[in-house]
Amino acid sequence: MSKPNKLLIMPSFLESIQFGLAACCIGLGKCCQWMQCQKSQVVSKEQYEVLCLGLKGVGKSTALASLVGEPIENIEPTTGFNIKTLPVLETTMNIKELGGAEEVKIFWNKYFQGQHGIVFVVNASANEEEEELSKEALEAVLSDSALKGLPCLILVTHLDKPECKTIKEIKEFLQGVFQGRKWIVKPFHPGSDEGIRQGLEALVHLMMHSE
Ligand SMILES: Nc1nc2c(ncn2[C@@H]2O[C@H](COP(=O)(O)OP(=O)(O)O)[C@@H](O)[C@H]2O)c(=O)[nH]1
Ligand SMILES: [Mg+2]
């Protein structure tokens, strides 16, 4: 019987090394997939507590109703608070609207503990006095130590009214109050939840990356 040819053995030896390397790569890939899966499971369990604040009649309840597909006609003024729970991206968000009337506003800070983010609603068609009151209320909220550093979504309503301020003007008017805090501004149009949804998704990203 003739001896096996070395040149014929060499390729099969190389093939087995290549096979081993490929198996290692597949194993590593599976391992990474498993880690990614574990990570997304952690994110999907995340719950965020968000406060929805703003002066009386600015449109907080209307925006929240629109967000969960409830009718926005004939919304009663909020006397105590109004809570909506909904999924946003892979998280669950509990949004608590506190009534904006003066007699309720003095109790806002009783609800500041354990929050992860703020939605502050601003009326774009407010007169100068209401505009100042709204800015003062926002400043008071942001200066409370219980809400220190929490990201803030400014939701602008009443953009359908004539003579309303633009988003750009509202940004310029408010920009001094945030002092390094992460904030975003989004419009709300009755009948569409697009702006508020985009705003809440952006807020989730900010809350995920805040300390
Ligand atoms: N035209 C207009 N009316 C709005 C808008 N948002 C809210 N409203 C109206 O403003 C009034 C007060 O709204 P509400 O949601 O109760 O205000 P809240 O006190 O901040 O909760 C209601 O009559 C709403 O229909 C808006 O963007 N445009
Ligand atoms: Mg309300």
Side-chain angles (χ1 to χ4, degrees):
M1 237 167 78
S2 60
K3 277 187 178 177
N5 189 336
K6 270 189 183 175
L7 285 172
L8 288 175
I9 295 168
M10 281 304 283
S12 70
F13 175 69
L14 279 175
E15 270 168 19
S16 62
I17 289 183
Q18 279 171 344
F19 178 78
L21 277 173
C24 280
C25 288
I26 291 168
L28 265 174
K30 290 273 174 215
C31 191
C32 289
Q33 270 177 10
W34 182 81
M35 281 164 72
Q36 276 301 109
C37 179
Q38 295 299 308
K39 200 175 154 201
S40 66
Q41 277 172 10
V42 170
V43 170
S44 69
K45 280 186 200 146
E46 215 135 16
Q47 291 239 4
Y48 287 114
E49 303 297 324
V50 172
L51 275 181
C52 178
L53 305 170
L55 299 189
K56 183 181 168 186
V58 291
K60 302 181 290 298
S61 302
T62 306
L64 294 185
S66 165
L67 190 61
V68 294
E70 290 174 0
I72 58 166
E73 299 80 28
N74 310 318
I75 285 183
E76 296 287 322
T78 311
T79 43
F81 52 77
N82 163 34
I83 300 176
K84 302 281 185 231
T85 297
L86 67 150
V88 181
L89 298 177
E90 297 91 3
T91 74
T92 300
M93 197 180 272
N94 297 316
I95 309 180
K96 188 185 283 165
E97 174 202 350
L98 305 181
E102 281 307 310
E103 61 274 19
V104 183
K105 201 147 71 73
I106 51 175
F107 296 111
W108 276 2
N109 60 3
K110 303 275 178 262
Y111 299 90
F112 285 0
Q113 287 298 334
Q115 300 302 308
H116 302 108
I118 306 161
V119 176
F120 195 90
V121 183
V122 171
N123 178 351
S125 70
N127 62 33
E128 230 173 89
E129 191 190 342
E130 291 163 339
E131 211 176 59
E132 280 301 331
L133 281 174
S134 172
K135 189 175 178 179
E136 274 171 28
L138 176 60
E139 269 176 322
V141 165
L142 299 184
S143 66
D144 194 292
S145 58
L147 302 177
K148 190 167 177 255
L150 297 192
C152 182
L153 162 65
I154 301 291
L155 191 67
V156 184
T157 56
H158 293 80
L159 285 160
D160 52 321
K161 299 260 180 81
E163 308 292 315
C164 67
K165 286 229 155 53
T166 63
I167 294 271
K168 187 168 176 271
E169 285 167 329
I170 288 172
K171 270 187 186 171
E172 282 166 8
F173 179 65
L174 295 177
Q175 64 186 357
V177 306
F178 295 99
Q179 299 183 346
R181 180 189 301 260
K182 300 253 168 53
W183 64 293
I184 33 187
V185 183
K186 290 284 173 189
F188 168 71
H189 299 285
S192 161
D193 67 349
E194 196 188 332
I196 183 167
R197 212 154 250 290
Q198 283 178 359
L200 292 179
E201 288 179 5
L203 191 65
V204 164
H205 285 296
L206 295 180
M207 291 190 296
M208 274 177 177
H209 297 109
S210 63
E211 297 129 36

